[in-house]
Amino acid sequence: MRAILQRVTRASVSVDGTTVGEIGPGLMILVCAMQGDTEAQADKLAAKIAKLRIFKDDQGKMNLSVKDAGNAALIVSQFTLAADLRGNRPGFSPAAAPDEGKRLYDHFTTRIAAEGIAVQNGIFGADMDVSLVNQGPVTIWLDTDSL
């Protein structure tokens, strides 16, 4: 699985002009299931994200996890993280099939919530508008193949 994390002061996602997920301070998580990914990989990714210390403590050092900081996560499916860029037009065949992608996305979301983190979501497969204020900026790319 692949994910892009952005530390945000606020983020929201809307579908057809209606806000479907919104958080204040926390993590914007764009996530993609790849062909062959498993629930074990989703679990590993969720555990890593939950423990990642990228929020500032009272001394200004990045020493707190999203949970430690009392922040939330907005999780949005993003199959384009699987882009194959060998040509000038990206291909997305490395992404999991939609039904498997949704199953793993839902499992990942459940695992983040099980870590004690408040979760908001986009709508899998929908054409979404995402708004955020990246704080720092802090943006981190994760792939379970390299964890």
Side-chain angles (χ1 to χ4, degrees):
M1 292 187 81
R2 292 182 178 167
I4 300 286
L5 312 179
Q6 294 179 292
R7 187 177 72 186
V8 299
T9 54
R10 66 182 177 278
S12 64
V13 61
S14 62
V15 175
D16 295 328
T18 301
T19 299
V20 296
E22 184 173 29
I23 63 169
L27 286 177
M28 174 74 220
I29 304 173
L30 304 172
V31 66
C32 176
M34 307 292 288
Q35 284 187 23
D37 281 347
T38 64
E39 287 183 2
Q41 286 169 298
D43 294 345
K44 185 177 184 179
L45 185 61
K48 179 70 171 184
I49 290 170
K51 292 175 181 72
L52 204 59
R53 298 184 308 167
I54 60 172
F55 290 89
K56 293 180 180 179
D57 63 16
D58 57 1
Q59 295 179 350
K61 298 203 186 272
M62 287 199 305
N63 206 25
L64 301 175
S65 70
V66 63
K67 182 179 175 182
D68 295 337
N71 294 336
L74 176 58
I75 305 173
V76 173
S77 61
Q78 177 120 22
F79 78 94
T80 60
L81 293 177
D84 176 350
L85 300 172
R86 283 179 269 184
N88 292 325
R89 183 171 183 236
F92 304 105
S93 60
D99 57 338
E100 183 65 2
K102 180 171 181 2
R103 187 183 74 76
L104 289 169
Y105 169 79
D106 291 342
H107 181 80
F108 171 79
T109 297
T110 300
R111 293 303 308 140
I112 290 284
E115 294 282 350
I117 299 163
V119 170
Q120 292 281 303
N121 294 89
I123 297 175
F124 187 91
D127 186 3
M128 296 175 273
D129 292 324
V130 177
S131 299
L132 61 96
V133 176
N134 188 326
Q135 198 281 318
V138 173
T139 301
I140 296 173
W141 179 80
L142 294 170
D143 189 318
T144 53
D145 288 345
S146 59
L147 292 181

